[in-house]
Amino acid sequence: MAPITGALHSVYAKPDGGSDMPGRLLVVDDLPETRALVSRKLSEAYFDIVEAASGEEALRIAGSQEIDLVVLDILLPGIDGFETCRRLRRNPDTQHIPVVMLSELLQNAQKIEGLESGADDVVSKPCDYAALVTRIKSLTRMKMVMDELRLRHACHPCLPPAPGRVEYTDASILLICPEEAGRIGIRAALTPHLDAIFEEAADAGMLEHRLRHGNYDAFVIWGLEEGMDAIHIASQLRARPETRHAALMLVFGDEELDHAHMALDMGIADYVTDPPDFEELAARLKVQLRRKFYSDQLRISVESSMTLAVTDPLTGLMNRRHVNDRLQAMQDRYSPEGRGIAAMILDLDHFKEVNDTWGHPAGDAVLKEFARRLSHSLRGADLVARLGGEEFLVIMPGIPPQDVQKVAERLRNAIQRDDFALCCSQSIEVTVSIGVAIHNRGEAVSDLLVRADRALYSAKHAGRNTVTLSAA
């Protein structure tokens, strides 16, 4: 199985002592002289080059080595470039490697077929190698981001396997174009090819209004007038958290291709030339939307795993695993300032009887309601965690020592005051015992918790439903 780290670890030294080698490329062409020319041009841009003479050889290398991008000729013996690309996309180990196809006498139909087969770009030979290098660097940067997300996902054993190739559905696309006829034309031309909802913005004011009230998967920026610079707008969209991961498609005139290459260097997803071929524009948008939807799924999954790692799934409170880091951070922040930190350990009284009498679903209902009352009775700055079973922890930073016991008594009353509804339409009285300790200057956080735990034992020994304060 090919590693998923790819460009994450592809760091090579430049001749001048630098270390920004863009990555490892697989150059596939059956003609040795053409393969050597492409390899030499890309090596001059400090790429590490691996070569293959056929589609079958390319598939074997891509599946067994760390490859960051495939430069693939369309006309190959055996399986051609289109089929090679389709097989790369079907293989879970290679489906996320970017592919740039090259071909002489390229027809528009071939370009569309290449994009539909899964290529990220299709380029005519002979090509502008400076532009090709810019495109390849842009795609390898995107792969590095994707690799990092996949690596983070793989590092969480509680998560299911990473999703395969994702198809976008119901994408939301904003067309940014000052001319109404242009917007209508783009919309009419793209609608038959894309499963998407289109909205429009004619100027900066309308764009800002749309961004405040809408959520977009892709932006098409075309034909802007003086005062509305396409690259500037694209960079602003990249800077906004809510649009940072959207696909950006720019349309440039032939005289603006230098700007297009600069846009790619800045991280813009893709561009086409004006006037655009709308079928090609739609095919390129599909490529970007698939990548965007896939990365969204990975990102959501990783964020969820991070939440699971620090959260108790039943109560939604912080779990024990995350408590120690937060405690140390609180001590580092508040102790040097001379402000107090207090710890409470709370234990529900006779909780085993709840489970034994009413069943575990009823016990879970009590624990969730207890956590809710606890959270609603404390400040936002207070740390609330479930230590396990029916035992909970509260850390109160910056609280005056004379107020600590008052707060603990208020918590005890909030639990006892109203009966707890059970899942079986019954209700019961619940009480809690609380042990309290106030942090001494220079005391380790672990010692603070030991004292709070001893105070809880004293509260239990004193008859439960009581608050006991630890001696300093």
Side-chain angles (χ1 to χ4, degrees):
M1 177 177 176
I4 65 171
T5 50
L8 281 175
H9 303 298
S10 296
V11 180
Y12 306 88
K14 292 172 63 174
D16 61 2
S19 60
D20 61 345
M21 169 66 79
R24 178 175 293 152
L25 309 186
L26 173 58
V27 176
V28 188
D29 199 300
D30 61 317
L31 299 177
E33 60 274 16
T34 303
R35 196 167 62 243
L37 173 63
V38 174
S39 297
R40 179 171 58 81
K41 291 288 188 180
L42 296 177
S43 294
E44 291 172 357
Y46 307 111
F47 289 104
D48 184 32
I49 305 298
V50 180
E51 296 184 2
S54 67
E56 290 87 349
E57 186 182 6
L59 293 171
R60 179 181 58 77
I61 293 173
S64 61
Q65 298 187 27
E66 291 183 5
I67 299 298
D68 296 310
L69 184 140
V70 178
V71 180
L72 179 62
D73 187 40
I74 292 177
L75 300 177
L76 294 171
I79 60 172
D80 63 13
F82 300 131
E83 180 58 24
T84 301
C85 188
R86 282 190 283 266
R87 294 189 188 185
L88 286 169
R89 291 293 175 253
R90 287 198 295 265
N91 184 345
D93 294 338
T94 61
Q95 62 186 350
H96 306 297
I97 301 175
V99 175
V100 175
M101 285 187 173
L102 300 180
S103 181
E104 294 178 345
L105 304 175
L106 189 63
Q107 302 297 315
N108 193 62
Q110 289 179 301
K111 186 176 291 188
I112 302 302
E113 185 177 358
L115 294 168
E116 292 290 353
S117 69
D120 295 86
D121 203 355
V122 185
V123 178
S124 295
K125 294 192 293 186
C127 61
D128 178 343
Y129 280 98
L132 179 63
V133 166
T134 301
R135 161 63 74 190
I136 290 174
K137 286 183 177 179
S138 174
L139 289 170
T140 53
R141 281 196 300 268
M142 291 181 189
K143 181 180 181 291
M144 289 174 68
V145 173
M146 197 75 71
D147 281 346
E148 184 172 351
L149 283 173
R150 294 175 65 216
L151 187 60
R152 289 181 182 178
H153 185 282
C155 287
H156 292 281
C158 59
L159 291 177
R165 191 165 181 242
V166 173
E167 290 297 331
Y168 73 93
T169 55
D170 297 327
S172 180
I173 299 176
L174 184 62
L175 309 175
I176 306 171
C177 177
E179 296 293 334
E180 182 178 7
R183 297 194 304 275
I184 293 173
I186 298 174
R187 187 171 191 159
L190 292 181
T191 298
H193 303 288
L194 287 171
D195 177 17
I197 299 168
F198 294 94
E199 294 187 8
E200 303 169 9
D203 52 40
M206 177 58 73
L207 173 59
E208 186 61 36
H209 173 80
R210 293 292 193 197
L211 293 177
R212 283 199 304 269
H213 297 92
N215 183 27
Y216 301 99
D217 299 301
F219 296 85
V220 179
I221 307 174
W222 184 24
L224 299 186
E225 298 173 333
E226 187 175 352
M228 287 185 70
D229 178 76
I231 296 180
H232 179 65
I233 290 175
S235 65
Q236 287 184 319
L237 292 172
R238 276 284 177 265
R240 299 173 75 117
E242 63 272 22
T243 56
R244 180 169 299 148
H245 304 296
L248 298 180
M249 181 69 65
L250 278 61
V251 182
F252 289 103
D254 288 336
E255 73 283 359
E256 300 176 297
L257 287 184
D258 286 345
H259 294 132
H261 301 156
M262 182 173 66
L264 288 177
D265 208 37
M266 292 171 54
I268 305 308
D270 204 355
Y271 72 90
V272 294
T273 55
D274 189 11
D277 178 279
F278 289 106
E279 191 175 359
E280 178 190 347
L281 177 57
R284 289 181 178 276
L285 277 170
K286 287 178 185 178
V287 171
Q288 301 304 325
L289 287 168
R290 289 189 192 104
R291 181 185 292 122
K292 194 262 182 188
F293 274 57
Y294 176 81
S295 63
D296 283 351
Q297 283 198 17
L298 273 182
R299 196 172 289 107
I300 291 169
S301 184
V302 169
E303 289 172 356
S304 298
S305 71
M306 293 173 67
T307 301
L308 287 172
V310 301
T311 303
D312 171 57
L314 177 65
T315 63
L317 300 179
M318 187 180 299
N319 63 22
R320 185 169 200 145
R321 184 186 307 171
H322 195 52
V323 164
N324 289 337
D325 290 340
R326 290 291 302 274
L327 284 177
Q328 190 59 53
M330 283 185 170
Q331 183 179 23
D332 293 344
R333 177 180 177 184
Y334 289 98
S335 294
E337 300 175 7
R339 293 188 286 169
I341 299 175
M344 297 183 193
I345 297 182
L346 307 88
D347 190 274
L348 292 174
D349 298 325
H350 305 294
F351 183 73
K352 185 177 183 298
E353 295 180 9
V354 177
N355 281 331
D356 291 346
T357 304
W358 303 99
H360 288 281
D364 289 348
V366 168
L367 291 172
K368 287 191 282 189
E369 174 61 15
F370 178 81
R372 187 192 69 80
R373 294 190 192 185
L374 201 59
S375 299
H376 286 198
S377 301
L378 294 165
R379 306 168 302 174
D382 297 331
L383 181 154
V384 187
R386 183 185 179 195
L387 296 179
E390 64 272 24
E391 193 169 77
F392 294 77
L393 171 70
V394 173
I395 300 293
M396 296 176 291
I399 186 171
Q402 63 271 21
D403 292 342
V404 174
Q405 192 156 2
K406 296 177 185 176
V407 172
E409 286 289 350
R410 189 178 76 239
L411 289 175
R412 187 188 65 80
N413 287 327
I415 301 306
Q416 184 185 28
R417 183 173 58 246
D418 300 315
D419 287 353
F420 280 54
L422 303 181
C423 57
C424 48
S425 301
Q426 301 289 328
S427 62
I428 60 172
E429 181 184 55
V430 175
T431 62
V432 64
S433 300
I434 305 176
V436 181
I438 299 172
H439 184 256
N440 297 317
R441 186 180 290 273
E443 181 182 25
V445 172
S446 58
D447 293 336
L448 173 68
L449 297 186
V450 167
R451 289 197 295 112
D453 195 51
R454 288 173 180 166
L456 172 64
Y457 178 81
S458 298
K460 291 284 191 182
H461 189 70
R464 296 183 171 83
N465 191 24
T466 190
V467 174
T468 299
L469 180 64
S470 169

